[in-house]
Amino acid sequence: MIMSEGLAIAIAVLVFVVITIAKGVRLVAQGEEWVVERLGKYHATLRPGLNILIPYLDRVAYKLVTKDIILDVQEQEVITRDNAVILTNAIAFVKVTDPVKAVYGVTDFSEAIRNLIMTTLRSIVGEMELDEALSSRDKIKARLRESIADEAVDWGLTVKSVEIQDIKPSESMQRAMELQAAAERERKAAVTKAEGAKQAAILEAEARLESAKRDANAQVMLAEASAESIRRVTAGIGDQAGPMMYLLGEKYIAALEKLGDSGSAKIVVMPADLQETLRGLVGRLGARG
C-alpha cells in the first residue's frame, strides 16, 4: 500500500518534471521567430535554435514566419479618371522584419497589407485615364510600392515587391472599345479614300493644264514654222508666177485626192481650166502682198 502510493507520487513527480522541461526548453526552426509573453506581457522574441523559458510564467503567444510571404490581392473593379471601368489584381511579396510590431501593431498584418494594396491601387488608377492605365504597369507598380512602404514599416513589415498581375477593361468596356476601334477604322478609311480622290483630281487637273500648255506651245511652234516656210518660199520665188503656180497646183491636187478618197464623197467638181484658176489665186495673193 505504502509502496503503491510512493510509486504514484514518483510517477506524478516524473510527469511534472517532464512537462516542466518541455515548457522550458523550446527549439525554434529556421525561418521562424516566436513571440514570448510573461504573465500576459511581451517578454522576448525567440530566434531559431535552442531557447530556455521559465515554465508556467512564460508562454509562446505567436509564431511568425520570417521568410518571404506571398500575398495574393484579389481582382477588383477600378474606375479611371475618364469614367472607364477596368479590372485589376496584384501580388505582393512581404517579409516580417519586426515580429513585435507585426503582432502588436495590427490585428492581422496579412489582411492589413492586402486591403492597403487594394485601396492604394484604386486611388492610383483612379487618377489615370484608361489608355494611360493600360500602358503604365511599371509606373503603377512603382507608385504602389512607394505608397505602402511607410505603412508596412509601422507594422514591422518590408514590402519587397508588388506586381500587377492583370489590368484589363471590363467586358462592357471591351465591347465599347471594339465599337470605337471599328468606327475609327471606318473614319480612317473614309479619310484615306477622300485624300486619294483629292490627289487624283489634282493630278488630273495638272495633267489637263500641262496638256493645254503643250498644245498651245505646239500651235505656236506650228504657226511659226508655217510663217517661216511662207517667208522662205516668198523669198525664193520673188515676182515669178511659175513656181508659185506649181506649188499651189501641187497642194490643190493633193487636196482633191484626199477629197476623192473620202468615203462620204460622191462627186468631185474640178475646174475646167486649172491653170487659169491657179493664176487667179496667184493674182489675189500678189494683190494682197
Side-chain angles (χ1 to χ4, degrees), residues 62-177:
Y62 302 96
K63 296 181 180 180
L64 300 179
V65 176
T66 56
K67 295 180 289 186
D68 290 349
I69 301 172
I70 302 174
L71 297 179
D72 188 14
V73 181
Q74 64 188 28
E75 187 177 73
Q76 60 177 333
E77 290 187 350
V78 182
I79 300 177
T80 61
R81 188 171 60 186
D82 51 351
N83 295 323
V85 180
I86 62 175
L87 302 176
T88 180
N89 61 354
I91 186 169
F93 299 88
V94 300
K95 182 180 179 65
V96 177
T97 54
D98 190 336
V100 177
K101 290 183 178 180
V103 296
Y104 295 112
V106 64
T107 303
D108 185 344
F109 66 85
S110 297
E111 189 65 21
I113 284 291
R114 186 178 290 110
N115 289 328
L116 181 61
I117 291 174
M118 291 177 65
T119 55
T120 306
L121 185 58
R122 283 199 299 268
S123 176
I124 293 173
V125 175
E127 297 175 356
M128 299 180 175
E129 294 188 354
L130 176 62
D131 294 339
E132 183 184 4
L134 295 178
S135 59
S136 304
R137 287 194 177 207
D138 292 339
K139 180 179 179 180
I140 295 173
K141 181 177 70 174
R143 289 188 57 187
L144 184 59
R145 185 177 181 276
E146 181 181 355
S147 298
I148 67 175
D150 293 339
E151 295 289 344
V153 169
D154 292 339
W155 296 334
L157 307 173
T158 297
V159 179
K160 304 190 73 173
S161 177
V162 179
E163 300 293 336
I164 305 298
Q165 286 185 297
D166 198 9
I167 181 168
K168 60 184 180 181
S170 62
E171 293 183 2
S172 60
M173 283 301 304
Q174 289 181 7
R175 290 193 295 269
M177 291 174 66

Side-chain angles (χ1 to χ4, degrees), residues 34-77:
W34 295 0
V35 175
V36 176
E37 292 181 351
R38 176 172 293 176
L39 299 177
K41 183 180 179 181
Y42 169 76
H43 173 64
T45 301
L46 303 185
R47 309 296 178 181
L50 180 64
N51 294 271
I52 305 298
L53 301 180
I54 299 177
Y56 309 111
L57 295 180
D58 298 338
R59 74 177 185 92
V60 177
Y62 302 96
K63 296 181 180 180
L64 300 179
V65 176
T66 56
K67 295 180 289 186
D68 290 349
I69 301 172
I70 302 174
L71 297 179
D72 188 14
V73 181
Q74 64 188 28
E75 187 177 73
Q76 60 177 333
E77 290 187 350

Side-chain angles (χ1 to χ4, degrees), residues 1-15:
M1 191 73 154
I2 295 175
M3 289 182 61
S4 61
E5 290 179 358
L7 182 61
I9 294 172
I11 293 173
V13 171
L14 180 61
V15 170

Side-chain angles (χ1 to χ4, degrees), residues 173-186:
M173 283 301 304
Q174 289 181 7
R175 290 193 295 269
M177 291 174 66
E178 289 174 358
L179 293 175
Q180 181 180 2
E184 183 65 18
R185 287 193 295 269
E186 292 179 358

